[in-house]
Amino acid sequence: MPHPRQTFDAQLRALEQRLLRMGGFVEGMLEDAVKALAKQDTQLAEEVVRRDDVADEQDIDIESTCMHLLALQQPLSKDLRVIGTALKITTDLERIGDYSVDIAKAALILAGARYPAPLTRIPRMAEYTVAMVQGALEGFVHRDFRKIEEVIALDDKVDALYVEVWEMLLQEMRQSSENIVRAANLILVARYLERIADHAVNVAERVYYMETGVLRQLATSHQTD
């Protein structure tokens, strides 16, 4: 029979794989939501909205696994940090899925609209946020601080793009009242992407805590909800 420690280590690795699968799933939701927005694809947007239930189920499954490990095993202090980090990360991933749904819903609202300006900055924001989520999760699995640093650097780029999008669309709104609804929804999309980036930073900070036992804010400024 396998040693109890070997069994526990295998369960921790399985937990990490569940987190990676959920991370890949919400990344796909985000990518498709932005694609639906750019191409005004209502079918794809509706599909993203439907996927929210699957992301919620994954969140519940990971939380249940963490509770099982805490209740039935005897984790060491480092193990407790790993499990606690997993609980926090799955919450961030669930919120990323929620924001992806919000972007998809905005795509449905804007499906028949003429966009006030080419959607160049918003897809770039999405590209950076997807890379941030991927990097944060890779940092978690491989305990790689270099990945964490890359996530923090990308957050600054997302923040800068958000300011550009906000200023550009605000100008569009000032030019004509006809632009207000469209521009306001695109500003919301940019805000959702900025929030997703903040959740990726949260994941990165928790990886740092998991490895060092020190919880610190790595980015210069971010907030999540």
Side-chain angles (χ1 to χ4, degrees):
M1 293 182 63
H3 189 275
R5 182 68 221 186
Q6 292 176 323
T7 299
F8 185 66
D9 287 342
Q11 291 171 327
L12 286 179
R13 288 193 296 272
L15 173 63
E16 292 176 354
Q17 290 304 309
R18 284 190 175 93
L19 276 172
L20 281 180
R21 284 194 294 272
M22 184 178 179
F25 188 81
V26 297
E27 286 168 24
M29 289 176 67
L30 172 57
E31 290 173 325
D32 285 346
V34 174
K35 185 186 299 181
L37 178 74
K39 296 183 177 298
Q40 297 185 304
D41 186 335
T42 57
Q43 289 186 339
L44 184 58
E46 289 169 351
E47 172 60 27
V48 172
V49 173
R50 286 193 291 270
R51 284 187 229 167
D52 189 41
D53 288 341
V54 178
D56 290 343
E57 290 172 1
Q58 291 175 323
D59 177 30
I60 293 170
D61 176 64
I62 292 171
E63 182 178 350
S64 175
T65 299
C66 289
M67 293 299 101
H68 175 84
L69 291 175
L70 289 171
L72 300 182
Q73 301 292 344
Q74 294 180 323
L76 304 175
S77 59
K78 178 63 179 297
D79 301 325
L80 288 172
R81 292 206 301 271
V82 172
I83 296 169
T85 297
L87 280 168
K88 293 291 188 179
I89 288 176
T90 189
T91 299
D92 284 304
L93 293 177
E94 192 271 336
R95 292 299 292 136
I96 290 171
D98 286 344
Y99 281 124
S100 299
V101 169
D102 289 336
I103 294 170
K105 289 178 178 178
L108 290 171
I109 293 172
L110 296 170
R114 180 187 63 79
Y115 291 138
L119 288 180
T120 56
R121 292 174 179 83
I122 287 178
R124 198 177 312 138
M125 285 183 72
E127 178 184 340
Y128 288 151
T129 54
V130 169
M132 289 175 69
V133 175
Q134 291 173 339
L137 289 171
E138 288 175 14
F140 170 69
V141 171
H142 300 296
R143 288 25 175 190
D144 187 345
F145 283 180
R146 182 178 59 85
K147 287 290 183 182
I148 300 309
E149 293 171 357
E150 291 173 1
V151 170
I152 303 307
L154 283 174
D155 186 52
D156 291 337
K157 293 184 178 182
V158 171
D159 289 342
L161 281 170
Y162 173 66
V163 172
E164 290 179 19
V165 170
W166 189 86
E167 291 176 346
M168 178 188 72
L169 292 171
L170 185 61
Q171 183 62 30
E172 294 283 350
M173 293 168 73
R174 288 171 175 162
Q175 289 177 356
S176 172
S177 60
E178 294 180 356
N179 293 333
I180 290 177
V181 173
R182 293 170 298 182
N185 275 279
L186 290 173
I187 287 174
L188 283 174
V189 168
R191 184 58 170 165
Y192 299 147
L193 290 169
E194 192 267 342
R195 288 295 196 186
I196 289 171
D198 284 342
H199 281 286
V201 170
N202 271 357
V203 174
E205 290 175 346
R206 282 155 185 160
V207 172
Y208 183 88
Y209 165 73
M210 180 180 68
E211 285 301 291
T212 66
V214 177
L215 185 59
R216 55 178 292 198
Q217 184 170 307
L218 302 178
T220 54
S221 64
H222 82 282
Q223 59 179 341
T224 51
D225 56 22

